[in-house]
Amino acid sequence: MSSRTMTGWLLVLGPIGLMACWIIWGGVIGFPDSGDHAAMVAGISTNAEATKWLLGLAMLFVFLLIGGLAGLRSSMAGGSGSDYATLGVLIIAMSATFNLGEIAATIAAADVGAAGNGAVAMTIYLAGNGIGATSSAGMMLGIAILGYGVYTQKNFHTIIAALLIVAGIFGLVMALYDYGSPLMGIGYLGISLGVAAMGSATLRSAD
């Protein structure tokens, strides 16, 4: 498998797998209002084992996504948008590290809540939620910058670049303004579709 083909697969599998994990997990815990912390803690505490496995799997897809974006950045080296791509991917990778902290905190909160200590579970969950708001804002900013790099270099269709920029900026604003809002899902869906579209285009060009 060539590096280009591998990059394409990582760009497709990473965001799609990540979105699938979040949606399935949301269904398992009953799709509580993400802004209702008590409902979220109750949902994850009741489904601690599923939370552990599904969010653990989500962590794997985060690694795949970062690997794909790193490959994309390398493929853009020397181009007019390479500096933006490098900066964007760097911000995404750094933010994703903290995002894994949110996932770990949610898993820990679920275990503690399942053991019957709701107050401590809430404290852990809120700490993770705070980390998540900041790290998600960083990831959205990085995606928007990467999108601008793609727009500048024109290595993918302009619509893909525009989707990354708009979804990234929208997600950045929502993460800072109201991280618990269901509208955050729009930002995540937009960047997932944009990244997966780049992966699909990369695979087609590798044939």
Side-chain angles (χ1 to χ4, degrees):
M1 181 185 295
S2 68
S3 60
R4 190 172 185 81
T5 299
M6 178 177 289
T7 294
W9 278 116
L10 291 176
L11 290 173
V12 170
L13 295 175
I16 291 178
L18 190 55
M19 282 296 295
C21 286
W22 283 114
I23 292 172
I24 295 171
W25 175 64
V28 168
I29 66 175
F31 289 117
D33 180 358
S34 55
D36 186 342
H37 302 311
M40 286 296 297
V41 171
I44 63 177
S45 298
T46 305
N47 301 277
E49 197 65 23
T51 293
K52 182 185 302 181
W53 285 101
L54 287 169
L55 295 192
L57 184 59
M59 293 174 102
L60 171 62
F61 285 114
V62 169
F63 292 134
L64 296 183
L65 173 61
I66 298 303
L69 292 175
L72 172 64
R73 177 190 57 78
S74 296
S75 71
M76 293 176 65
S80 57
S82 62
D83 289 341
Y84 295 107
T86 298
L87 177 60
V89 173
L90 176 62
I91 293 174
I92 294 167
M94 292 176 64
S95 300
T97 302
F98 290 98
N99 192 249
L100 295 176
E102 179 191 17
I103 293 176
T106 302
I107 292 173
D111 285 339
V112 172
N117 199 334
V120 175
M122 178 62 78
T123 300
I124 296 173
Y125 176 79
L126 289 176
N129 197 251
I131 294 171
T134 305
S135 62
S136 293
M139 289 186 70
M140 293 295 182
L141 173 62
I143 285 289
I145 294 173
L146 173 62
Y148 184 73
V150 170
Y151 173 77
T152 301
Q153 191 155 327
K154 294 179 172 53
N155 49 325
F156 295 101
H157 198 285
T158 304
I159 293 178
I160 296 177
L163 179 60
L164 293 173
I165 294 171
V166 172
I169 293 175
F170 178 82
L172 169 63
V173 173
M174 288 307 304
L176 294 176
Y177 175 70
D178 186 6
Y179 181 58
S181 171
L183 293 177
M184 275 298 299
I186 297 176
Y188 283 123
L189 179 60
I191 65 173
S192 295
L193 291 175
V195 173
M198 290 193 295
S200 178
T202 301
L203 288 172
R204 288 198 302 272
S205 67
D207 291 338

